[in-house]
Amino acid sequence: MQKLIEKLTEKTAAAFAAAGYDDTYAAVTLSNRPDLCEFQCNGAMPAAKQYHCAPIAIAQAVAEKLALDPAFASVEAVMPGFLNMTVAPQFLSEYLSEMAKDEHFGIANDPAPRTIVVDYGGPNVAKPLHIGHLRSAIIGESVKRLYRYFGNTVIGDIHLGDWGLQMGLIIAEVRERQPNLPYFDEAFTGEYPAEPPFTISELEEIYPTASAKSKEDEAFAAKAREATKRLQEHARGEYALWKHIMAVSIADLKKNYAKLNVTFDAWLGESDAQPYIQPMLDIIADKGLAHESDGALVVDVQEESDTKELPPCILKKSDGATLYATTDLATILQRERDFHPGKILYFTDKRQNLHFEQVFRVARKAALLSPEAELQHIGFGTMNGKDGKPFKTRAGGVMRLETLIAEITDFVRGKITENQQVADAEVDETARLIALAALKYGDLSNQATKDYVFDMDRFAAFEGNTGPYLLYTIVRIKSILARAEDAPADTILPPQSKDEKTLGLTISRFGEELYSAYTASAPNVICAYLYDLAGAVNKFYHETKILAEPDAEKRKGYLALIALAKRVMETGIDLLGFSAPDKM
Ligand code: ARG
């Protein structure tokens, strides 16, 4: 289905041509003076330059032709040459009815769908999820859903930090504590225990302890390096113990991401990239791209057109150790071989901008993936506290994600208990849904690159530009539909009031707004649209007697309109990664 402004542009193009002018000037946009008109076309101004005449003359000639088209209620030429348009109620009703008939609202899929790897989450195994992991999960999940909505094959990959010294530290510390475990017995040839020798809470304590110890105790640090080396050589005991660390940690990560409505299709990690490191290095060597610098193996990535300095990308340190960039390059090769993606999208803190710029350049030079495949990094800003500094606990520490979710859920639970709209049995689930909306919308409504301030009172408010306000609007519609005695009309009727028309026009924008969000990988565009839509719904609700309307046909028409608004809003928030309760 064509976007509404595309339909209007087509009609306007025909009018330009009929009036004897080039039809490429016909682009119609939303009005930036909604008090005067609904749509506008400013093409007469540039056209006047080509035809050496007054723009108003062109606008008038086009307006005369357009007046013949029943799609428009009015078309006015105004000085110096604007075309101000409003659409006919009947035209809008037909458009909305067609939208309502289709499950996908008539929104066309991307004509060239691709396989897209979305690399987000990126937690490190055996370390608890904290505030720093929030944004990647929230933004990545939303963009993943958006890509899928437009018909792409999307693989959400968590890309676990599950390899390297961090694992050796844990193994060495477990060994200090439980030296008699069979994993450390070289002579042991039997089957290792199926049960892990630690719980998740023990694991979460083991890592920081080991990390701190390694900084003070050189002997321990050496043991950790040795354990890392043995793990990387797949020594039987270390590898078996690593499998336990992975299983315990992944079970916990799954639980925590589920609380955020975040799910991954692939649970791959840095360890899965290891077999691709040598093949990747070979490709780079074959192409003669790498050279030695102070004993390290590096690839130059600076280009002549660069305005800033870009340091070389280090593939191997002088001691032979590989780095973050090495793993990311190997991962690109792994993804190319396993998925042959048309695009890989990464979501991390923007402090990693340089890292990805270097990695992408090396990947391009070495042609690790096909030249038409896109590599894109979305670097986001920080979630700050009210003091403008990165968000901390009251004690000044890094807050766990679990704690943050629990705090905002408690806060919301308090509010809904006070409001007394929700049955006791539903309170917990309702609080969970509202808290998630508050947290996610608070994040997603900002442009990703910007920092934002976490403000629980503001995020969880039921009014204003918030997630809960969107839910509240959906709940309001649900409640009207539940109380209605008649079924909604099958089609959307021509609007009769200004608020009804505004609501219809706002709904009609859904496809184009989603499409802009999609092309820019920008969920904040969806947020801004949904906020507008909720405003139009509430204005309509306040100005219209919906259930008390005596004319049955009109009443059913109203119900059909708000039911469509509800579907659009529910689809929108699903793309943001949250959903609405029945009551709140
Ligand atoms: N584990 C990394 C970190 O904590 C994030 C991984 C992001 N993805 C990637 N392919 N580098 O910073």
Side-chain angles (χ1 to χ4, degrees):
M1 195 173 156
Q2 256 181 328
K3 296 176 187 116
L4 193 77
I5 49 169
E6 281 170 5
K7 283 198 190 235
L8 300 179
T9 297
E10 230 168 55
K11 291 171 179 297
T12 309
F16 266 83
Y21 300 106
D22 188 340
D23 66 3
T24 54
Y25 293 111
V28 172
T29 58
L30 275 186
S31 161
N32 50 25
R33 286 290 304 276
D35 51 324
L36 295 181
C37 59
E38 294 159 357
F39 298 92
Q40 67 186 60
C41 169
N42 301 345
M45 265 77 74
K49 295 212 175 75
Q50 180 186 335
Y51 295 101
H52 305 290
C53 63
I56 191 71
I58 299 179
Q60 268 157 357
V62 174
E64 262 168 47
K65 299 289 177 199
L66 277 180
L68 306 172
D69 189 325
F72 295 94
S74 74
V75 182
E76 256 187 314
V78 280
M79 286 302 271
F82 296 112
L83 279 162
N84 288 354
M85 315 166 168
T86 57
V87 294
Q90 180 64 30
F91 173 76
L92 182 60
S93 95
E94 282 162 20
Y95 187 86
L96 292 172
S97 300
E98 206 182 323
M99 225 179 127
K101 257 192 301 191
D102 182 19
E103 206 191 326
H104 212 245
F105 306 100
I107 300 170
N109 277 349
D110 190 319
R114 294 177 286 177
T115 297
I116 318 271
V117 176
V118 182
D119 178 318
Y120 71 112
N124 298 317
V125 161
K127 298 188 202 171
L129 284 181
H130 58 76
I131 287 297
H133 296 107
L134 184 70
R135 298 208 71 193
S136 177
I138 292 182
I139 305 170
E141 178 71 21
S142 176
V143 173
K144 179 189 80 175
R145 292 175 183 215
L146 197 49
Y147 266 85
R148 203 163 272 161
Y149 196 79
F150 279 90
N152 298 283
T153 302
V154 187
I155 302 162
D157 182 359
I158 188 166
H159 199 72
L160 293 168
D162 61 358
W163 206 242
L165 182 62
Q166 150 207 5
M167 298 319 242
L169 284 165
I170 297 171
I171 296 172
E173 179 65 18
V174 172
R175 185 171 193 156
E176 304 255 294
R177 296 181 188 194
Q178 305 179 63
N180 296 327
L181 288 176
Y183 310 97
F184 307 117
D185 179 358
E186 294 272 356
F188 185 80
T189 54
E191 245 186 69
Y192 292 117
E195 282 303 303
F198 34 65
T199 62
I200 183 67
S201 19
E202 284 162 349
L203 207 50
E204 286 177 351
E205 173 268 320
I206 288 174
Y207 174 73
T209 308
S211 171
K213 198 193 276 185
S214 74
K215 287 179 189 122
E216 277 148 27
D217 180 345
E218 184 39 45
F220 178 76
K223 285 183 199 163
R225 283 195 298 273
E226 174 62 17
T228 311
K229 188 160 162 285
R230 287 179 57 81
L231 170 65
Q232 299 191 336
E233 289 160 357
H234 288 221
R236 204 170 156 261
E238 280 77 0
Y239 196 71
L241 194 53
W242 175 78
K243 285 267 177 207
H244 280 310
I245 302 174
M246 291 293 282
V248 170
S249 184
I250 287 176
D252 185 64
L253 285 171
K254 284 198 171 152
K255 198 183 82 196
N256 277 290
Y257 278 114
K259 286 191 187 152
L260 277 176
N261 254 4
V262 169
T263 53
F264 299 92
D265 309 292
W267 282 77
L268 299 173
E270 296 184 348
S271 64
D272 297 285
Q274 299 311 306
Y276 295 85
I277 288 185
Q278 199 49 53
M280 179 275 294
L281 291 173
D282 291 344
I283 295 174
I284 289 180
D286 282 350
K287 300 202 160 128
L289 296 172
H291 65 91
E292 228 193 81
S293 166
D294 294 333
L297 186 69
V298 306
V299 177
D300 290 327
V301 291
Q302 185 86 37
E303 281 162 20
E304 257 177 47
S305 55
D306 288 340
T307 48
K308 57 174 191 227
E309 200 190 319
L310 221 59
C313 180
I314 308 176
L315 300 179
K316 254 187 194 180
K317 293 203 284 192
S318 51
D319 64 1
T322 55
L323 295 98
Y324 188 41
T326 326
T327 313
D328 263 331
L329 286 163
T331 304
I332 291 177
L333 188 60
Q334 172 260 317
R335 288 174 176 160
E336 170 62 14
R337 296 204 175 155
D338 291 349
F339 310 126
H340 190 56
K343 175 167 184 166
I344 310 178
L345 246 174
Y346 299 80
F347 292 87
T348 76
D349 189 295
K350 66 183 170 199
R351 280 171 291 191
Q352 297 194 22
N353 283 356
L354 174 64
H355 162 76
F356 282 104
E357 191 151 11
Q358 292 173 308
V359 165
F360 293 171
R361 287 198 181 187
V362 177
R364 286 280 170 237
K365 281 187 149 183
L368 296 181
L369 73 182
S370 43
E372 62 275 11
E374 242 184 290
L375 292 166
Q376 189 186 359
H377 172 232
I378 297 195
F380 45 78
T382 315
M383 180 173 107
N384 289 328
K386 284 190 183 159
D387 58 359
K389 299 200 186 103
F391 189 85
K392 288 265 157 33
T393 57
R394 262 175 231 107
V398 178
M399 190 183 266
R400 279 179 167 236
L401 209 48
E402 247 176 323
T403 314
L404 180 79
I405 297 173
E407 283 193 4
I408 190 159
T409 307
D410 284 345
F411 182 76
V412 169
R413 192 184 291 109
K415 287 177 86 139
I416 53 180
T417 319
E418 208 173 289
N419 288 355
Q420 295 187 334
Q421 295 292 318
V422 181
D424 288 352
E426 301 295 327
V427 164
D428 279 342
E429 178 59 7
T430 306
R432 190 185 79 81
L433 295 176
I434 300 174
L436 203 56
L439 191 62
K440 288 195 164 188
Y441 190 89
D443 187 304
L444 294 169
S445 54
N446 302 285
Q447 220 180 321
T449 47
K450 301 233 167 87
D451 296 348
Y452 70 91
V453 172
F454 177 79
D455 180 341
M456 188 134 83
D457 287 309
R458 190 166 70 75
F459 285 12
F462 285 15
E463 269 156 48
N465 189 2
T466 70
Y469 169 67
L470 299 185
L471 302 194
Y472 194 76
T473 307
I474 295 173
V475 166
R476 168 169 275 165
I477 302 177
K478 284 188 181 181
S479 132
I480 302 170
L481 293 174
R483 281 182 287 134
E485 280 163 17
D486 1 57
D490 293 336
T491 58
I492 306 293
L493 305 183
Q496 299 194 349
S497 71
K498 183 161 181 299
D499 297 311
E500 189 180 3
K501 194 172 189 195
T502 304
L503 176 54
L505 285 168
T506 311
I507 294 174
S508 78
R509 269 167 43 208
F510 187 44
E512 65 195 77
E513 297 280 0
L514 270 196
Y515 190 72
S516 345
Y518 167 60
T519 49
S521 301
N524 59 303
V525 174
I526 306 180
C527 292
Y529 167 71
L530 292 177
Y531 179 56
D532 253 17
L533 179 55
V537 168
N538 288 311
K539 185 91 202 311
F540 173 69
Y541 167 83
H542 286 298
E543 303 297 328
T544 316
K545 291 195 184 74
I546 301 177
L547 294 178
E549 166 58 49
D551 180 333
E553 284 319 301
K554 269 195 188 178
R555 203 166 57 228
K556 291 180 191 175
Y558 291 159
L559 293 174
L561 184 65
I562 59 170
L564 178 59
K566 167 174 159 289
R567 271 177 60 205
V568 166
M569 291 196 72
E570 285 175 332
T571 304
I573 62 171
D574 183 60
L575 291 171
L576 298 177
F578 54 88
S579 55
D582 289 330
K583 295 206 165 99
M584 66 189 269

